Amino acid sequence: MPRRLAILGSTGSIGVQALDVVARSDELEVVALSASSGWESLLEQARRYGVKRIALADPDAAARAGEAWTDGEVLTGPEGLVRLITECECDMVLNAIVGSAGLVPTVAALGEGIELALANKESLVVGGELVTALAQATGAAMIPVDSEHSALHQLLAAEGPGTVDRLTLTASGGPFRGMRARELEDVTVEQALAHPTWAMGGKITIDSATLMNKGLELIEAHHLFGTPYDQIDVVVHPQSIIHSLIGLCDGATLAHLGYPDMRVPISYALHYPERVDVPVTPLDLVALGALTFEAPDEETFACLRLAREAAIAGGTATCTLNAANEVAVHAFLGGRLRFMEIAVVIEETLERLPAGRVHSFDTLASADAQARRTAGELVSARAPA
Ligand code: NAD
Ligand code: MG
């Protein structure tokens, strides 16, 4: 019997590559798909993969899809997405939604005890403690899709308790590696979107340019593997060939290598614990010649420092960090904020909203809303008249 999958965010960068993995695998079947508003692409995917139920976050898009589609059902809104997950009788949910909108579906899947292939790192940044506690309570596994965390998941699989001293996350450094604050003042959206090694959705590409992506991944790694923050390092590795490393108590360090291609970690998560063929170019170390490493420049790329500080502060701080980042990145992509102001807006939002304790998912929803309001005001105050 193939594994039944629900793919959330199927029209995005990860979603489309996941469908490519599914198309090549006899082990997988898609039973539900979702997107934000791109109803035409979503319907095309549903028809191609024989899916009978979809969800669109946007009600207008859902209404238009409903009119155009006579042999399937269209759900809408956050409640529609939750119904899609809980009623589709799937074995695994791939959460490839971008942003904190991914938290509710993560909770819905884990709450039902459904295995979760997790690309949406924001779920763990916003609600790490509650999400991991929920997964433990229901026994649902979370398999990371993020390439660094997929690498760590594979490296850690063979290690017994107490043998792992350190985790090292690699970072490409993004398109502005080596540049200083003064040179970054006038960079354009187009320059920030030109990632040197990975082709990804807009938000994560900007996060990679600011190094916020690595900050979010630090928090993601802490929650996935239960590793204290002072045992997680970040190293810049511009070729993106080593996806992460673990340091062991006997002095050995293990690394996971491969060309940057998200179909590899997507396939790993969707088939776990099995492995299947993925048509990628075998690694040619001689052609690569050299792999290089450098320390991240946290003075220029303040977002990594801000993420680390929020992580250590704990409570609602990482939820606030994430929401402010989403608002600031959205404003930058819309031409309403300059590149170097992204970190400024996040830092000021965190200063205005001190971390509080997280009692429930409701605490997180209000911290998220409050941070969005504050960051929005800070963006407006800076926007050119
Ligand atoms: P993307 O922008 O290309 O796609 C996002 C998908 O989510 C789309 O299908 C969109 O319709 C849907 N979506 C957006 N907002 C929504 C909402 N409010 N409600 C419901 N659906 C919504 O993003 P992506 O690059 O594929 O990234 C998806 C997630 O995977 C992010 O959390 C990202 O950090 C993570 N990730 C991506 C990559 C990559 O290579 N793209 C690598 C590692 C991790
Ligand atoms: Mg990553």
Side-chain angles (χ1 to χ4, degrees):
M1 286 284 281
R3 177 176 278 175
R4 292 164 58 88
L5 286 182
I7 303 186
L8 316 181
S10 61
T11 58
S13 163
I14 293 287
V16 166
Q17 294 179 85
L19 285 171
D20 182 62
V21 167
V22 170
R24 296 166 194 275
S25 172
D26 298 331
E27 318 292 324
L28 306 172
E29 178 192 353
V30 195
V31 295
L33 294 169
S34 91
S36 168
S37 58
W39 65 274
E40 280 157 314
S41 332
L42 191 65
L43 274 194
E44 195 191 308
Q45 291 180 338
R47 290 195 174 108
R48 186 151 17 112
Y49 288 86
V51 171
K52 294 289 173 221
R53 230 173 174 214
I54 61 174
L56 282 149
D58 178 55
D60 292 337
R64 298 183 71 174
E67 281 163 28
W69 201 31
T70 46
D71 55 346
E73 192 186 352
V74 185
L75 303 168
T76 189
E79 316 75 39
L81 186 54
V82 170
R83 271 188 61 204
L84 184 81
I85 296 164
T86 56
E87 295 174 7
C88 70
E89 296 182 355
C90 62
D91 304 308
M92 179 180 253
V93 168
L94 167 60
N95 186 348
I97 290 173
V98 61
S100 65
L103 177 62
V104 167
T106 284
V107 171
L110 295 175
E112 290 291 305
I114 304 170
E115 268 191 283
L116 181 65
L118 189 63
N120 180 261
K121 62 191 86 182
E122 293 92 342
S123 296
L124 288 173
V125 173
V126 173
E129 270 91 18
L130 295 183
V131 167
T132 46
L134 180 64
Q136 257 168 18
T138 63
M142 269 192 285
I143 320 293
V145 169
D146 214 347
S147 56
E148 298 77 2
H149 305 73
S150 175
L152 290 172
H153 193 268
Q154 295 173 55
L155 292 167
L156 292 169
E159 298 308 321
T163 58
V164 180
D165 286 345
R166 304 201 72 76
L167 309 183
T168 303
L169 295 167
T170 52
S172 71
F176 304 137
R177 182 178 59 86
M179 289 167 74
R180 302 306 306 262
R182 203 170 18 83
E183 302 165 84
L184 292 172
E185 259 164 30
D186 296 317
V187 295
T188 62
V189 170
E190 202 185 358
Q191 288 170 318
L193 284 175
H195 196 277
T197 50
W198 294 97
M200 309 177 286
K203 192 255 179 186
I204 183 176
T205 306
I206 302 304
D207 286 347
S208 302
T210 61
L211 290 201
M212 179 56 91
N213 185 49
K214 216 45 57 179
L216 302 180
E217 291 186 355
L218 177 76
I219 301 166
E220 181 185 13
H222 165 78
H223 291 297
L224 281 170
F225 307 115
T227 311
Y229 285 113
D230 61 1
Q231 291 172 27
I232 311 175
D233 302 318
V234 171
V235 67
V236 172
H237 164 46
Q239 298 82 22
S240 301
I241 296 296
I242 297 185
H243 301 309
S244 275
L245 311 93
I246 60 172
L248 303 174
C249 59
D250 62 358
T253 295
L254 310 184
H256 179 291
L257 288 79
Y259 293 115
D261 184 331
M262 285 308 293
R263 290 175 307 163
V264 176
I266 291 170
S267 176
Y268 173 80
L270 298 187
H271 293 96
Y272 182 80
E274 308 296 329
R275 283 188 192 263
V276 302
D277 292 356
V278 181
V280 296
T281 320
L283 193 62
D284 185 341
L285 289 173
V286 174
L288 283 168
L291 300 179
T292 61
F293 307 92
E294 56 198 66
D297 173 3
E298 290 192 18
E299 203 181 304
T300 307
F301 300 95
C303 286
L304 178 55
R305 169 181 62 80
L306 293 172
R308 198 182 279 281
E309 286 170 4
I312 289 162
T316 53
T318 55
C319 173
T320 301
L321 170 97
N322 177 72
N325 181 54
E326 286 188 33
V327 169
V329 169
H330 185 70
F332 171 69
L333 286 170
R336 289 177 290 115
L337 195 68
R338 298 197 314 180
F339 183 77
M340 290 305 280
E341 292 178 323
I342 296 174
V344 175
V345 165
I346 299 165
E347 185 150 28
E348 287 183 15
T349 305
L350 283 161
E351 278 166 10
R352 287 190 190 194
L353 304 173
R357 283 189 55 196
V358 176
H359 303 286
S360 64
F361 287 110
D362 284 344
T363 318
L364 296 172
S366 39
D368 178 272
Q370 202 179 10
R372 278 171 202 275
R373 269 195 308 276
T374 303
E377 286 163 16
L378 290 165
V379 169
S380 305
R382 293 184 157 264

